[in-house]
Amino acid sequence: MSEIRLDSQGITNIFSTLFNPLTGMGTVRDKMGHARVNTVLYPLDRTELDALPRKSGMISRLCFKLPEDCAADWMRLDLGEANFNGEDVLLYLENLAEKEGRLGARQAFQKAASLGRQYGDGFILIGIADGREPHEPVNLKNIRSIEWLKVCDRYELYPDHKNYHDPEFYHFYSGEYQTWHRDRVLRFPGKKIFSRYNRNNGFNDSVIQSFFDAWSQWEQGVAAGAQMLVEWDQAKMTMQGLSQLLLEDIQQKTDKNQKAVAKRLKSVSVNRSLYNTVLLDALETLEYLNHTYTGADQIMIQIKDRLASETDLPRHILFNENGSASGLSSSNTAGLSQRYAWAECKESWSNRVFAPELLRLCRYAMLAKDGVSRGKLAEKYEVISASEVVLTAQEKMMIQLQASNRDTRNISAGIYTSEEARSQFETAKFTGQVVLSENPNLPKDRKDSTARKILQWRGEKIIIEYLPGDKRHGHILKHGYGYIRGYIGEDKEALDCYISADYCAVAVGGSYVEEKIFRIKQLSLKDSCFDEWKYMIGFVNQEKAQEAYLSAFPIDIGDLLFGGIQEVSFESLDEFRRDRDDGLTPKQRELHVDALTWEEPSNWYD
């Protein structure tokens, strides 16, 4: 299309999802018989996609608000127990702004994601110095450095036509054509098209495309409302002999009397406007018409609801309604629920769009010889959103009061101790969860561990840190993961365990069927030697326990970590109790535990 059509035929084509030329449905005659889906789609072209965000603040927010705010919040890189810092890796990527491309990762991600939402796809080309050409896969063993980042849109970079769904190559045009391997390309989609038979030349849709129909209805509704206000202020005026004057004009083929009538009406209107007075002849009358419009507001509400449903933005962000009094309970907390909704939206979008691409880029940065890790890749690494709700001082006080009431009940119920509650208070992160952190009056379990749930098990407490469905090290768990409170493993930290989904679903104070206990020998990825024990709790048999363990890792990784499984008794856990009295010195106990650790039972299954 060369321009946005607002005529009746264009509106019919755009807004009629169902049409039937035989019965008139979707035309001037609307019947419901013999209906079929209207598959006509008018893709917005580049000129229209350029113009719409500039013409409409609403469309501008739709395209750019998420990338801008998520880039401002940015991301965190969790490297587990690596001896280098995730913040330093991210800083390495930010310092690319001082190199050839003059663009750091945060700014590049914002620009590429904005282009993706506006046009359907945005891309970042990565200048990796690995001794290979752009069309070749990245040589992970020879990355000397990352030199630059370049942002481009879908009109500069094209997916290879041989496989639109999962292209191995992209074609870049900048005066001359270049082919780029997908290893060197980061992609930021607008609205994803998942069909294998992509009819959009391999690209995704702009977020404006599906939004445009509803937005057009909204704009027409607003314009119609403005026109109604103009037409509402009308008057009826009678003039003696008006019909005779008009008849004379017709007979004499002139407009003399018509001009006189128009001049008289103009005089009445000017007097009304300037002097707030109307001068009438004794035989003239002036009457203001009363109009009653009903239902228009309900129509606009329905159009507004449809408009909001076509976006991934919260309603208050789309319509720029920040600060409405929909917070917790008072005007001082107005908008708090909106800020929570926006923070959740940003976190979800960042983890879906930013995180996968930034994870790839961080991997290259860690493998770079000039990076902070000098080419060493962390064993476990994960990128997560840093978006958080910003609370006022009064809101923090309210949450602390609610947390205090919660702690009073939970401490009296024995769910956790007063020391653990104090630990949560001292962190002041206002997450609503109890943080089990190191305390001089408490035995050490695991630093900065967040308890999602505490399970009472055979007189012991299992701290569940990850529930089924949570993401751990970038992988979604099918079962729970945590540790047995008061027990220390070979790594001198809490004794790790996997908890079946059935056990995780048991309500606080509820009962469960006691299942067998299995112990898995976990190996090191570095040298395939023994690393630590992992206990499997709540599984009906050995096969289910082994299957659950392997499901906690990406394909092939679990097989490398798995060193065998055996059934053990509950009493066998005593060797790992922190407070056991076996008459050994700390050094002797350490040697004793090591000896037990390396004993190879006869019933291992490899």
Side-chain angles (χ1 to χ4, degrees):
M1 296 188 298
S2 59
E3 61 180 354
I4 299 175
R5 294 184 58 180
L6 298 177
D7 57 276
S8 60
Q9 184 59 44
I11 298 301
T12 298
N13 289 338
I14 291 172
F15 300 133
S16 298
T17 303
L18 301 175
F19 78 99
N20 189 321
L22 297 179
T23 64
M25 182 179 182
T27 66
V28 292
R29 298 178 298 114
D30 196 359
K31 305 294 181 183
M32 288 301 295
H34 306 289
R36 66 180 186 272
V37 175
N38 183 357
T39 59
V40 176
L41 175 68
Y42 295 103
L44 298 171
D45 62 27
R46 184 175 186 176
T47 303
E48 292 161 343
L49 294 174
D50 280 338
L52 284 167
R54 300 174 65 184
K55 294 183 64 174
S56 167
M58 187 182 298
I59 292 181
S60 177
R61 288 189 293 276
L62 175 66
C63 292
F64 309 133
K65 184 65 173 174
L66 270 171
E68 288 176 357
D69 283 19
C70 290
D73 294 342
W74 202 217
M75 312 291 286
R76 287 192 294 266
L77 177 61
D78 181 7
L79 298 179
E81 299 179 358
N83 58 4
F84 53 95
N85 197 303
E87 293 182 1
D88 292 333
V89 177
L90 294 176
L91 182 60
Y92 172 88
L93 295 174
E94 287 306 302
N95 289 338
L96 294 177
E98 301 174 4
K99 289 191 172 185
E100 178 182 345
R102 300 191 178 278
L103 200 60
R106 186 186 301 209
Q107 185 182 1
F109 272 56
Q110 176 191 332
K111 292 179 65 175
S114 297
L115 291 173
R117 290 179 68 82
Q118 183 176 3
Y119 297 115
D121 278 295
F123 302 92
I124 295 177
L125 301 180
I126 315 172
I128 302 177
D130 64 338
R132 291 184 177 178
E133 297 297 321
H135 66 274
E136 296 179 301
V138 172
N139 184 354
L140 299 178
K141 297 181 179 180
N142 190 38
I143 298 179
R144 297 189 298 277
S145 64
I146 299 177
E147 291 299 318
W148 48 263
L149 301 175
K150 178 178 176 58
V151 175
C152 50
D153 61 36
R154 58 170 286 187
Y155 301 102
E156 299 172 282
L157 197 68
Y158 304 87
D160 189 75
H161 69 278
K162 294 179 181 179
N163 187 358
Y164 280 154
H165 186 64
D166 186 22
E168 183 176 2
F169 300 101
Y170 292 87
H171 303 292
F172 176 65
Y173 181 75
S174 60
E176 60 180 17
Y177 283 100
Q178 282 185 323
T179 298
W180 282 72
H181 193 273
R182 64 183 174 189
D183 282 0
R184 304 171 189 272
V185 179
L186 305 179
R187 186 170 185 174
F188 300 82
K191 187 173 183 180
K192 281 190 174 182
I193 300 177
F194 293 98
S195 172
R196 289 183 57 196
Y197 307 101
N198 191 319
R199 298 181 180 179
N200 199 30
N201 295 322
F203 293 109
N204 294 292
D205 263 344
S206 165
V207 294
I208 305 174
Q209 182 67 56
S210 60
F211 181 78
F212 175 73
D213 291 357
W215 176 79
S216 298
Q217 286 184 336
W218 170 264
E219 290 293 304
Q220 290 177 77
V222 172
Q227 187 62 35
M228 288 169 60
L229 292 177
V230 173
E231 295 178 352
W232 182 84
D233 187 18
Q234 291 184 348
K236 179 178 72 176
M237 184 174 180
T238 62
M239 302 173 67
Q240 187 176 21
L242 178 61
S243 298
Q244 183 61 37
L245 293 173
L246 298 177
L247 179 60
E248 289 178 4
D249 274 0
I250 294 174
Q251 292 172 344
Q252 298 175 10
K253 298 181 179 181
T254 182
D255 59 355
K256 177 181 176 182
N257 293 328
Q258 295 177 52
K259 289 182 177 180
V261 170
K263 188 174 182 180
R264 175 60 182 143
L265 292 175
K266 184 176 180 181
S267 173
V268 171
S269 178
V270 169
N271 277 296
R272 240 182 98 206
S273 176
L274 295 179
Y275 307 111
N276 200 24
T277 302
V278 177
L279 298 176
L280 298 175
D281 187 88
L283 299 178
E284 292 178 329
T285 64
L286 182 66
E287 176 185 354
Y288 293 101
L289 301 180
N290 292 321
H291 296 279
T292 302
Y293 297 113
T294 60
D297 55 341
Q298 294 301 315
I299 293 174
M300 291 303 295
I301 289 174
Q302 292 181 14
I303 295 176
K304 191 174 184 179
D305 289 341
R306 184 196 170 193
L307 198 62
S309 70
E310 294 290 347
T311 78
D312 53 1
L313 296 181
R315 190 188 197 93
H316 70 279
I317 294 293
L318 180 66
F319 294 102
N320 201 23
E321 296 172 344
N322 294 331
S324 65
S326 59
L328 289 179
S329 59
S330 69
S331 59
N332 290 329
T333 57
L336 179 57
S337 63
Q338 291 182 347
R339 278 179 277 143
Y340 270 108
W342 182 226
E344 290 175 0
C345 177
K346 290 189 293 181
E347 180 181 21
S348 173
W349 186 87
S350 293
N351 289 334
R352 187 175 69 254
V353 179
F354 275 1
E357 304 307 298
L358 184 57
L359 193 67
R360 291 175 56 203
L361 191 58
C362 287
R363 186 186 185 203
Y364 295 151
M366 285 187 281
L367 291 172
K369 300 298 189 296
D370 70 338
V372 294
S373 63
R374 296 294 186 265
K376 179 182 178 182
L377 188 65
E379 284 192 23
K380 300 175 182 178
Y381 52 98
E382 179 184 12
V383 170
I384 55 177
S385 169
S387 295
E388 295 179 348
V389 179
V390 179
L391 302 174
T392 66
Q394 183 176 8
E395 289 164 351
K396 291 178 180 179
M397 292 175 62
M398 291 177 61
I399 291 177
Q400 285 287 19
L401 177 61
Q402 293 171 351
S404 175
N405 294 333
R406 175 206 62 196
D407 290 341
T408 301
R409 294 191 300 270
N410 290 345
I411 292 171
S412 63
I415 296 176
Y416 49 81
T417 67
S418 58
E419 287 82 0
E420 290 167 328
R422 185 180 70 178
S423 142
Q424 188 271 344
F425 179 84
E426 290 172 348
T427 62
K429 292 182 179 179
F430 307 100
T431 62
Q433 296 177 327
V434 178
V435 178
L436 305 179
S437 58
E438 187 175 4
N439 185 291
N441 299 319
L442 271 180
K444 176 182 175 183
D445 281 313
R446 201 193 304 276
K447 289 184 178 180
D448 300 324
S449 172
T450 301
R452 300 293 306 280
K453 189 173 182 179
I454 299 178
L455 179 67
Q456 301 291 338
W457 176 72
R458 300 192 183 192
E460 305 292 346
K461 290 181 180 180
I462 294 179
I463 310 300
I464 304 178
E465 301 170 289
Y466 297 87
L467 290 170
D470 287 350
K471 185 178 288 188
R472 181 172 182 261
H473 301 315
H475 191 72
I476 295 177
L477 297 179
K478 294 182 179 179
H479 300 276
Y481 181 83
Y483 61 91
I484 306 172
R485 187 86 185 277
Y487 291 77
I488 296 295
E490 289 73 19
D491 56 357
K492 306 302 181 290
E493 297 236 3
L495 194 61
D496 298 331
C497 61
Y498 289 89
I499 307 98
S500 71
D502 291 338
Y503 269 34
C504 291
V506 173
V508 176
S511 61
Y512 54 87
V513 177
E514 288 192 0
E515 303 290 358
K516 299 176 180 178
I517 305 173
F518 299 95
R519 183 167 71 175
I520 285 178
K521 179 182 181 181
Q522 181 165 294
L523 306 179
S524 170
L525 287 176
K526 293 181 179 179
D527 51 18
S528 297
C529 292
F530 174 80
D531 182 27
E532 60 178 319
W533 302 119
K534 296 290 185 182
Y535 281 81
M536 311 300 293
I537 295 173
F539 298 95
V540 295
N541 55 45
Q542 180 175 295
E543 289 72 21
K544 293 293 184 183
Q546 181 174 335
E547 178 184 330
Y549 174 80
L550 295 176
S551 72
F553 302 96
I555 298 174
D556 297 334
I557 297 297
D559 292 333
L560 296 175
L561 293 171
F562 181 74
I565 182 171
Q566 68 173 162
E567 181 182 344
V568 297
S569 66
F570 175 73
E571 290 72 23
S572 68
L573 293 174
D574 285 345
E575 67 185 67
F576 300 109
R577 285 189 66 88
R578 183 193 300 106
D579 57 355
R580 71 183 183 278
D581 184 11
D582 50 17
L584 300 176
T585 65
K587 183 63 177 178
Q588 289 173 328
R589 183 178 296 118
E590 182 177 336
L591 295 173
H592 180 61
V593 171
D594 287 342
L596 290 174
T597 296
W598 287 99
E599 181 182 353
E600 293 292 344
S602 59
N603 59 337
W604 280 108
Y605 296 91
D606 294 324

